Amino acid sequence: MTILAADEHVFTDGRIPELLVGAVDLHVHPAPSPFPRNIGIRGVADQAHAAGFRAILVKSHHHSMVTDIAAVDDAIGGLPIPVYSGVALNNYVGGINPYAVELSLQMGGRMVWMPTVSSEQHICVHEREEHLKFPSTSIKLRKTTPIPVLDEAGNLLPETVEVLQLVKDADAILSTGHMSPPEITAVLRAANKMGLRRLVVNHPNFVIEANPAQAREWVDLGAVVEHGLVQYDDRTTFFQWQVDTMLSFIDAVGVDNTIIGSDLGQKNNPFPVDSYERVLGQLLDAGVSRADIRKLVAVNTGRVLDG
C-alpha cells in the first residue's frame, strides 16, 4: 500500500485550488480493506488537508472503519482534519443488523449504508456486466449473498425500520447503498415519513441503473444525489461517462440537491485530489459556474455532514 505524502499533489490547473477550500469528500475508500487500496486513512487525510478540505468520510464495504480511524488518530497524535466513517450493511456485518449500526453510531459513526456489495442489484449487475466487476479481494472470503430490506409484499422488514430509527436518533446520514430503484424508493419513502434529515443516493446510474427522472423522485423524498469522480475520470478502472451525463442528472434534480464525492482509493486509480482536479476542470470547461461547483463539493456536502 502506498502512503501518500501530504505535499505530493501539485495542482496544474490554477482554477481548482480555491474551489476545494472547505470541501468535504463523503466517499473515500482507503485501506484497510479486503479490496486492494492505494492509500491509507492517514495518507488520504493528509492529502485532503493539504488541498484545503475540511473533512472526509471513509468507507469500507466489509467493516466499520470507525475504530480504524480512532486507532490511526491515537497512533499519530491526531489526524489533520476530521475523518468520519460508518457501517455498510453487507454480509460481513450480519446484513441489516441493528446491533452493528448501534455500535458504529455510538462510537462516532456518521453514515449507515444500506447493502452495497451484498445487495441483489449489485450482485446481479456485476454478474451480467463483466466490465463492471469489482476487483478480487486480497484475502479469501466466502461468496456474498443478497441482503433483503423488504418483505415479499414490498414492505420494509422490521430490522430495516429499526435501522432507520437508529439513524434518525443519531441524526446520522443514511445512504441507500447499491440497492435497486424500487428498494431505494421504498426506503426513502419510509425515511422521509419518519423524519430522517440526511439522505444520500450514491452514483444513481452506476450499478443502481437509475435515470434522471427516478433521481428527481428521490430528491422529492428528501435525498441528495451523489456522483462519484471514479466514474467520470477517464484514468480510473471504473470510468463510464463523460461529464455531460452527470450534468443531465444535475439538470433534473438541481445543483442544490447534488453532491460530488471521489469514490476513490482503489489500487491502480488516481488519488482523490488528483481526480477532483481533473473532473472539476471538465465541469468548468462545460460551463458550470464556480459558485455551483462550490455547492457540489463544499456547501451541499457540508450540509449533509453537519448542517
Side-chain angles (χ1 to χ4, degrees):
M1 180 183 70
T2 300
I3 299 298
L4 183 70
D7 59 352
E8 185 169 330
H9 181 81
V10 177
F11 287 102
T12 59
D13 187 336
R15 301 174 298 172
I16 303 303
E18 186 180 358
L19 294 173
L20 295 179
V21 175
V24 177
D25 188 351
L26 295 174
H27 200 153
V28 194
H29 284 291
S33 169
F35 286 138
R37 301 303 190 202
N38 66 3
I39 193 167
I41 291 169
R42 179 179 183 177
V44 76
D46 285 345
Q47 181 196 52
H49 173 64
F53 283 69
R54 73 173 180 89
I56 59 173
L57 192 149
V58 300
K59 174 183 181 182
S60 169
H61 292 288
H62 299 86
H63 71 290
S64 172
M65 300 192 82
V66 173
T67 50
D68 296 327
I69 295 166
V72 172
D73 189 71
D74 181 67
I76 67 173
L79 289 161
I81 57 174
V83 179
Y84 302 98
S85 189
V87 62
L89 301 182
N90 295 312
N91 294 124
Y92 313 99
V93 299
I96 309 301
N97 182 356
Y99 290 92
V101 170
E102 183 177 55
L103 176 62
S104 178
L105 294 174
Q106 289 282 357
M107 296 192 71
R110 291 295 296 143
M111 186 176 287
V112 174
W113 293 268
M114 287 288 113
T116 58
V117 296
S118 295
S119 72
E120 184 172 16
Q121 176 77 6
H122 179 105
I123 293 168
C124 290
V125 166
H126 283 77
E127 288 178 350
R128 184 182 77 236
E129 304 288 346
E130 186 72 25
H131 68 288
L132 294 183
K133 283 190 178 295
F134 271 37
S136 298
T137 57
S138 56
I139 57 176
K140 186 176 178 62
L141 297 173
R142 65 184 66 191
K143 186 176 179 180
T144 188
T145 57
I147 300 291
V149 299
L150 309 175
D151 64 20
E152 293 182 358
N155 300 312
L156 266 63
L157 293 168
E159 54 267 34
T160 307
V161 175
E162 187 174 356
V163 164
L164 296 190
Q165 187 62 53
L166 287 167
V167 174
K168 178 187 176 182
D169 292 344
D171 196 23
I173 308 163
L174 179 75
S175 162
T176 53
H178 295 185
M179 299 188 302
S180 67
E183 291 172 310
I184 290 174
T185 300
V187 168
L188 289 179
R189 282 177 179 163
N192 179 274
K193 186 175 181 180
M194 293 172 65
L196 276 74
R197 297 197 313 128
R198 310 178 198 275
L199 306 171
V200 175
V201 176
N202 302 120
H203 46 66
N205 45 338
F206 179 70
V207 178
I208 294 166
E209 299 184 320
N211 57 47
Q214 290 169 308
R216 177 70 243 182
E217 180 182 4
W218 297 332
V219 164
D220 289 341
L221 291 171
V224 298
V225 175
E226 181 192 75
H227 296 281
L229 298 175
V230 71
Q231 286 97 39
Y232 291 92
D233 186 332
D234 60 5
R235 301 167 298 178
T236 77
T237 56
F238 288 96
F239 172 65
Q240 298 290 310
W241 303 283
Q242 303 295 333
V243 294
D244 58 345
T245 299
M246 185 194 304
L247 292 175
S248 70
F249 278 86
I250 295 175
D251 288 342
V253 309
V255 70
D256 290 330
N257 302 307
T258 305
I259 61 176
I260 287 176
S262 68
D263 200 358
L264 281 163
Q266 306 89 353
K267 186 178 180 181
N268 301 320
N269 279 342
F271 293 118
V273 172
D274 298 314
S275 200
Y276 272 96
E277 180 172 18
R278 171 69 67 96
V279 179
L280 296 192
Q282 293 172 349
L283 290 173
L284 287 170
D285 292 342
V288 180
S289 71
R290 295 180 67 83
D292 281 350
I293 290 178
R294 287 283 299 163
K295 288 182 177 180
L296 299 175
V297 302
V299 177
N300 299 345
T301 49
R303 184 181 74 240
V304 171
L305 179 64
D306 53 24

